[in-house]
């Protein structure tokens, strides 16, 4: 079964010492997050420094990797300042909060992935709602991947999958990645060629039940057994 969780990895951030940071260039402090009494410092991927308060952060997330109390080191994140700025504004909930519905798709998607990675619940829910109701028809491939990665309901995933039938195979490979593409290609083939019993009988699945009905493991086993026709094997 394809993993549909989004977890925080050690490669998503680096704890840098003050000596290391002193060697970097073009650092600037974010004007909205430059508190003199800050006890946490976070640096974005584009070298913007956020001086924050630990209590505000841990109230909204316990997964944000921060230096231990009293440690002079600074956490360096992979996200750019424009994404961290929005996340941190929701941790300092002083009106007016950012209106995420005004963001373009690329920024909203990037923010959604970051919010899920760091488990900032308020931003997760807000991003998911904006993406689901405003961007499925215009970015169905990206939205299908986003929905699967973040474990949206099977009903929602299937409804998004139906919007992707007209995407070309090369584009789907590029957007979805290999693991999701395997299921998607079979799902799409079933919709385009529903009478091919030599394939669907061998797989013993009903694609109309949804994209997630295709198990990558089961498909690979049947492929090794020679139960899948050569034409579909070539799609991989």
């Amino acid at each position: 079964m394809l993993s549909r969780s989004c977890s925080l990895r050690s490669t998503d951030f680096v704890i840098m010492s003050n000596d290391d940071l002193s060697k970097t260039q073009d650092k600037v402090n974010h004007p909205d997050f430059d508190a003199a009494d800050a006890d946490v410092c976070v640096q974005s991927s584009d070298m913007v420094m956020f001086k924050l308060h630990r209590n505000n952060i841990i109230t909204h997330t316990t997964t944000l990797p921060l230096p231990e109390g009293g440690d002079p080191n600074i956490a360096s994140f992979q996200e750019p300042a424009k994404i961290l700025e929005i996340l941190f504004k929701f941790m300092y909930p002083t009106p007016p909060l950012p209106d995420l519905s005004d963001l373009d798709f690329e920024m909203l998607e990037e923010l959604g992935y970051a919010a899920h990675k760091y488990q900032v619940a308020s931003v997760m829910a807000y991003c998911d709602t904006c993406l689901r109701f405003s961007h499925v028809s215009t970015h169905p491939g990206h939205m299908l991947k986003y929905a699967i990665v973040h474990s949206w309901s099977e009903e929602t995933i299937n409804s998004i999958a139906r919007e992707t039938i007209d995407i070309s195979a090369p584009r789907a490979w590029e957007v979805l990645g290999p693991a999701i593409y395997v299921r998607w290609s079979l799902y799409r083939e079933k919709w385009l060629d529903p009478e091919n019993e030599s394939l669907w009988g061998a797989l013993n699945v009903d694609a109309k039940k949804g994209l997630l009905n295709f198990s990558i493991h089961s498909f690979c086993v049947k492929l090794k057994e020679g139960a899948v026709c050569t034409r579909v094997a070539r799609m991989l």
Side-chain angles (χ1 to χ4, degrees):
M1 187 68 173
L2 176 66
S3 173
R4 295 185 288 160
S5 62
C6 182
S7 58
L8 185 64
R9 303 163 298 176
S10 60
T11 54
D12 292 327
F13 64 94
V14 176
I15 301 297
M16 302 176 66
S17 68
N18 284 338
D19 289 340
D20 291 333
L21 287 169
S22 66
K23 299 175 184 177
T24 61
Q25 311 227 341
D26 301 325
K27 295 196 306 287
V28 296
N29 292 335
H30 194 289
D32 295 337
F33 298 94
D34 193 22
D37 61 343
D39 53 4
V40 169
C41 291
V42 169
Q43 181 175 276
S44 67
S45 62
D46 48 356
M47 308 301 291
V48 176
M49 192 73 70
F50 294 80
K51 298 181 179 180
L52 310 168
H53 301 91
R54 186 178 299 271
N55 285 341
N56 285 76
I57 294 174
I58 63 177
T59 297
H60 292 85
T61 176
T62 58
T63 64
L64 202 69
L66 300 174
E68 295 299 324
D71 192 326
N73 292 344
I74 297 171
S76 180
F77 284 70
Q78 288 187 337
E79 290 76 20
K82 65 181 182 180
I83 297 299
L84 295 180
E85 175 185 341
I86 297 175
L87 286 179
F88 294 146
K89 282 185 175 180
F90 278 85
M91 298 180 190
Y92 289 79
T94 301
L97 291 175
D99 184 353
L100 302 189
S101 63
D102 290 338
L103 300 180
D104 61 31
F105 172 76
E106 287 75 17
M107 188 167 177
L108 186 60
E109 180 190 35
E110 186 176 4
L111 178 62
Y113 276 107
H116 278 274
K117 182 168 72 173
Y118 300 124
Q119 293 295 290
V120 184
S122 57
V123 185
M124 289 164 54
Y126 199 168
C127 285
D128 288 0
T129 298
C130 291
L131 286 167
R132 178 179 176 183
F133 292 104
S134 300
H135 295 284
V136 170
S137 61
T138 54
H139 299 85
H142 286 89
M143 285 304 306
L144 179 60
K145 179 178 180 179
Y146 186 95
I148 292 175
V149 168
H150 296 129
S151 302
W152 287 11
S153 71
E154 184 171 350
E155 179 182 0
T156 300
I157 290 173
N158 290 335
S159 68
I160 297 173
R162 286 192 288 272
E163 298 287 332
T164 68
I165 300 301
D166 294 330
I167 297 178
S168 69
R171 178 59 177 163
W173 177 272
E174 176 186 354
V175 171
L176 299 176
I180 298 175
Y181 175 82
V182 171
R183 291 185 180 184
W184 175 85
S185 62
L186 292 170
Y187 175 84
R188 179 172 180 261
E189 188 76 5
K190 175 63 176 178
W191 279 93
L192 297 179
D193 188 10
E195 304 305 322
N196 186 357
E197 293 302 328
S198 65
L199 170 63
W200 311 121
L203 288 176
N204 193 29
V205 294
D206 180 1
K208 299 275 183 175
K209 291 182 179 179
L211 179 74
L212 299 184
N213 192 39
F214 287 115
S215 164
I216 292 175
H217 173 72
S218 296
F219 177 78
C220 290
V221 169
K222 291 179 181 297
L223 182 60
K224 290 178 181 178
E225 293 173 348
V228 180
C229 66
T230 303
R231 181 167 64 88
V232 174
R234 291 198 192 99
M235 295 192 309
L236 307 181

